[in-house]
Amino acid sequence: MRSLIRLMGYLGLAGCLLAAPAGYVVAKEKKMESIVLGMGCFWGAERRMAQLPGVLDVESGYAGGDSVNTTYRQVLATETRLQRGLSKERNHAEVVKVRFDPRQVSLERVLAHFWENHDPTQGDRQGNDRGSNYRSAIYYADAAQQKIALKTREIYQGALARAGFPAITTEIAPLRNYTRAEDEHQDYLQKNPNGYCGLGGTGVAYPGVAAPAAAEAKPVPAALDPATLNTRRQLIVFEAEECGFCRKFATEILARWQADVPVARSLSTQPPAGWTLEKALFATPTIVLFEQAREVSRYTGYDGDRAAFWRWLGGQLLTPEQRRIAFEQGTERPFTGSHLDEKRPGTFVDPVSGVALFRTDSKFDSGSGWPSFFQPLPGAITLHPDRSHGMVRTEVRSASSGIHLGHVFDDGPPPSGKRYCINGKVLKFVPDASAAGDKRR
């Protein structure tokens, strides 16, 4: 554990001092201090507070509730009873016990880091985590800590007000009924690199307290330049440097990006100048869709579920009829869809992911009233049994986004003998360059 290594260093130093020659006076070492803080989910809070130079150890736990001891499951069960009106018990908050060396970092600086790294104005929630167990809290050990906590709240409230944020809701109270969390919750993001990634707080800096030198050396990431973006419609992926899920999203989604909507990546917690977020960011990755420089939707916390991400994006890009077909296995009425008579050389692509599905040279007139193909492009589709509507059929989905395309039958022409019967409204046609030029002439 990080604290053990650091403490071993201090103990080693103390041993040398105790063994000093006679006549030397050894000054008494000032003990490390600790304070208990609630910042929402303790996984991200633990890592955030551990990044501050001078912090020796951060331990996840529960505090501020009525029960003397508790567990993770008991906290969740208590919150459920509270939400249902079945209890008036004060629940514990998920907290972190921060142990720090006051010679290296002051309590005010520790609390400044606390204020900056979560949103203390949200009441019984933090981001999408809702409940009194996710409340913002400072649980102090003595009157001196209480005084500093109240002072820092007043200072930060002024900074938040100037930035347009509401009043701070952080509970400031004496520490009571602290319980160390289970081992599985300690150093969680070290053991689970792809776990929940906290992005930081409101983006409002705590004024008047200089950060330690190690923190000063790390520049604050700049927001994206709006001149490089598409004002009409733009996706921005807000990331963090140490975020396993950000890397996963980059590998599984961004590396293969072919969608029409442009995408950009940002390490800043702030939108481009003149652009507007609907609410503060709280986790990474957060993928935000902007239209006319204003947020219209966001997807928070990619965890490897590609279909869920594409479903979210498709919900923003497709028409209601397209969404009915793509996500509810709907079917357009025959002879009403798009591309039925399209014969130009080109490619039919997924309207959400932009990935190629079929080529015109595999298209034929089946007389069915739907665009029909005898062969998809390699790896473009997946097949699934479909027993809906009292029939036994084989469903065709896009391999990239997972949207429903249509069905495949065994009555097609050579060489495959297959008929991929596809809804035209969930196809986008991209003509070859020569075909597009011919149409312009």
Side-chain angles (χ1 to χ4, degrees):
M1 185 179 285
R2 298 186 302 274
S3 59
L4 180 59
I5 295 172
R6 292 190 176 102
L7 288 172
M8 286 175 65
Y10 285 110
L11 291 173
L13 175 61
C16 293
L17 291 172
L18 288 172
Y24 278 79
V25 178
V26 179
K28 185 178 180 181
E29 294 286 341
K30 187 174 182 180
K31 293 180 180 179
M32 68 176 179
E33 294 184 20
S34 68
I35 192 162
V36 174
L37 307 171
M39 303 167 64
C41 174
F42 47 24
W43 298 339
E46 183 185 52
R47 184 175 67 180
R48 283 284 168 181
M49 295 309 299
Q51 291 172 342
L52 182 65
V55 168
L56 306 176
D57 180 54
V58 184
E59 176 183 275
S60 292
Y62 315 99
D66 290 341
S67 58
V68 177
N69 295 296
T70 194
T71 67
Y72 186 72
R73 290 185 179 276
Q74 288 170 353
V75 168
L76 295 181
T78 299
E79 193 60 33
T80 298
R81 292 195 300 273
L82 287 168
Q83 296 295 330
R84 294 176 178 175
L86 302 177
S87 174
K88 295 183 179 179
E89 179 182 357
R90 181 60 166 165
N91 199 9
H92 286 279
E94 289 192 14
V95 297
V96 289
K97 178 181 283 187
V98 181
R99 298 182 177 93
F100 61 97
D101 183 349
R103 297 168 303 178
Q104 300 181 52
V105 62
S106 67
L107 176 58
E108 185 172 2
R109 181 61 239 173
V110 170
L111 292 178
H113 198 68
F114 158 80
W115 293 119
E116 291 173 341
N117 279 277
H118 77 301
D119 185 343
T121 70
Q122 296 186 317
D124 285 348
R125 59 173 286 216
Q126 194 63 208
N128 283 350
D129 294 328
R130 297 175 181 270
S132 63
N133 50 320
Y134 296 114
R135 64 188 180 269
S136 173
I138 299 174
Y139 296 126
Y140 53 82
D142 53 38
Q145 287 192 347
Q146 178 191 25
K147 182 178 179 181
I148 295 173
L150 294 173
K151 170 190 170 184
T152 60
R153 180 182 66 183
E154 182 180 356
I155 291 172
Y156 198 60
Q157 181 64 77
L160 287 176
R162 288 189 291 274
F165 284 87
I168 288 173
T169 61
T170 302
E171 178 183 18
I172 299 179
L175 176 63
R176 70 184 185 112
N177 297 336
Y178 175 80
T179 303
R180 182 183 186 274
E182 298 82 347
D183 287 344
E184 65 193 85
H185 296 298
Q186 306 300 331
D187 299 317
Y188 183 86
L189 291 179
Q190 289 188 33
K191 295 180 286 189
N192 301 274
N194 286 337
Y196 174 91
C197 303
L199 183 62
T202 59
V204 176
Y206 181 91
V209 175
E216 289 180 328
K218 190 173 183 180
V220 177
L224 293 174
D225 181 356
T228 66
L229 305 174
N230 187 322
T231 304
R232 187 184 70 83
R233 176 178 280 174
Q234 175 77 49
L235 277 173
I236 297 180
V237 183
F238 291 92
E239 305 175 304
E241 289 183 356
E242 298 179 5
C243 171
F245 277 139
C246 298
R247 293 189 291 272
K248 193 175 186 69
F249 185 78
T251 299
E252 297 181 354
I253 303 294
L254 297 181
R256 300 174 174 84
W257 192 261
Q258 299 180 53
D260 279 347
V261 57
V263 63
R265 302 166 69 180
S266 176
L267 289 174
S268 173
T269 61
Q270 299 301 306
W275 291 42
T276 304
L277 286 168
E278 288 300 307
K279 55 186 176 180
L281 304 167
F282 74 95
T284 56
T286 295
I287 303 94
V288 179
L289 178 63
F290 292 88
E291 292 182 357
Q292 304 304 325
R294 297 187 65 87
E295 177 186 342
V296 295
S297 184
R298 69 172 61 185
Y299 185 93
T300 300
Y302 178 79
D303 61 358
D305 190 342
R306 287 179 287 182
F309 167 75
W310 289 118
R311 186 181 185 95
W312 166 77
L313 185 59
Q316 314 309 313
L317 304 182
L318 302 181
T319 66
E321 175 67 4
Q322 287 178 311
R323 293 197 296 269
R324 184 185 69 82
I325 296 169
F327 302 121
E328 300 173 22
Q329 290 186 292
T331 302
E332 66 198 22
R333 289 184 292 110
F335 300 102
T336 64
S338 308
H339 315 304
L340 193 60
D341 299 321
E342 183 60 73
K343 297 179 181 178
R344 290 175 293 162
T347 306
F348 296 86
V349 306
D350 182 315
V352 182
S353 69
V355 173
L357 300 171
F358 302 93
R359 286 284 301 172
T360 308
D361 55 16
S362 70
K363 187 171 183 286
F364 68 98
D365 184 1
S366 67
S368 64
W370 290 279
S372 299
F373 304 86
F374 60 78
Q375 180 174 282
L377 289 168
I381 65 166
T382 58
L383 302 179
H384 306 267
D386 180 6
R387 292 177 171 81
S388 62
H389 306 294
M391 296 181 283
V392 178
R393 296 177 293 175
T394 300
E395 180 194 7
V396 179
R397 298 180 193 167
S398 168
S400 58
S401 69
I403 65 170
H404 170 76
L405 298 174
H407 294 86
V408 60
F409 303 95
D410 294 324
D411 57 2
S416 68
K418 301 290 186 181
R419 173 170 60 95
Y420 292 87
C421 186
I422 307 299
N423 290 281
K425 291 180 180 177
V426 288
L427 293 176
K428 179 185 175 184
F429 181 68
V430 180
D432 292 346
S434 59
D438 289 343
K439 186 171 184 178
R440 286 193 296 269
R441 290 196 296 272

